């Protein structure tokens, strides 16, 4: 069961970085990126996605640790 969970996590991370084009810009960033050109606009999109992934990974790690501790507490009580 542990291997399946690890595989799912790696699959989720792989899908996150699969290169899906995302429009992850606010209106100000969109206007700035359109003035810069196509290559800098793609780099700006990539940077926004990268910066978004860090807090999500931290939240995911905290949730995983919480779930693991809850599971351990349930085993002790049983």
């Amino acid at each position: 069961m542990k291997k399946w969970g690890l595989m799912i996590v790696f699959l989720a991370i792989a899908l996150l970085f699969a290169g899906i084009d995302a429009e992850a810009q606010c209106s100000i960033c969109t206007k700035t990126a359109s003035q810069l050109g196509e290559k800098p606009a793609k780099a700006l999109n990539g940077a926004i996605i990268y910066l978004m992934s860090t807090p999500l990974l931290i939240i995911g790690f905290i949730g995983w640790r919480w779930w693991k501790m809850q599971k351990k507490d349930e085993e002790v009580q049983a």
Side-chain angles (χ1 to χ4, degrees):
M1 188 66 172
K2 200 180 239 185
K3 289 182 182 180
W4 283 104
L6 192 59
M7 284 178 40
I8 290 172
V9 169
F10 284 129
L11 180 63
I13 291 171
L15 289 175
L16 179 66
F17 295 110
I20 301 170
D21 288 337
E23 298 298 325
Q25 296 177 348
C26 65
S27 60
I28 296 170
C29 295
T30 304
K31 188 173 183 177
T32 303
S34 66
Q35 292 173 353
L36 294 174
E38 188 175 333
K39 272 188 127 179
K42 283 187 175 186
L44 183 61
N45 271 338
I48 291 170
I49 298 296
Y50 174 73
L51 290 172
M52 178 189 70
S53 67
T54 305
L56 291 176
L57 287 173
I58 291 169
I59 291 168
F61 178 74
I62 291 170
W64 174 74
R65 292 288 297 177
W66 175 79
W67 173 75
K68 194 170 182 177
M69 293 299 286
Q70 290 294 326
K71 187 176 169 184
K72 187 177 182 181
D73 288 344
E74 289 175 3
E75 289 176 0
V76 169
Q77 290 178 358

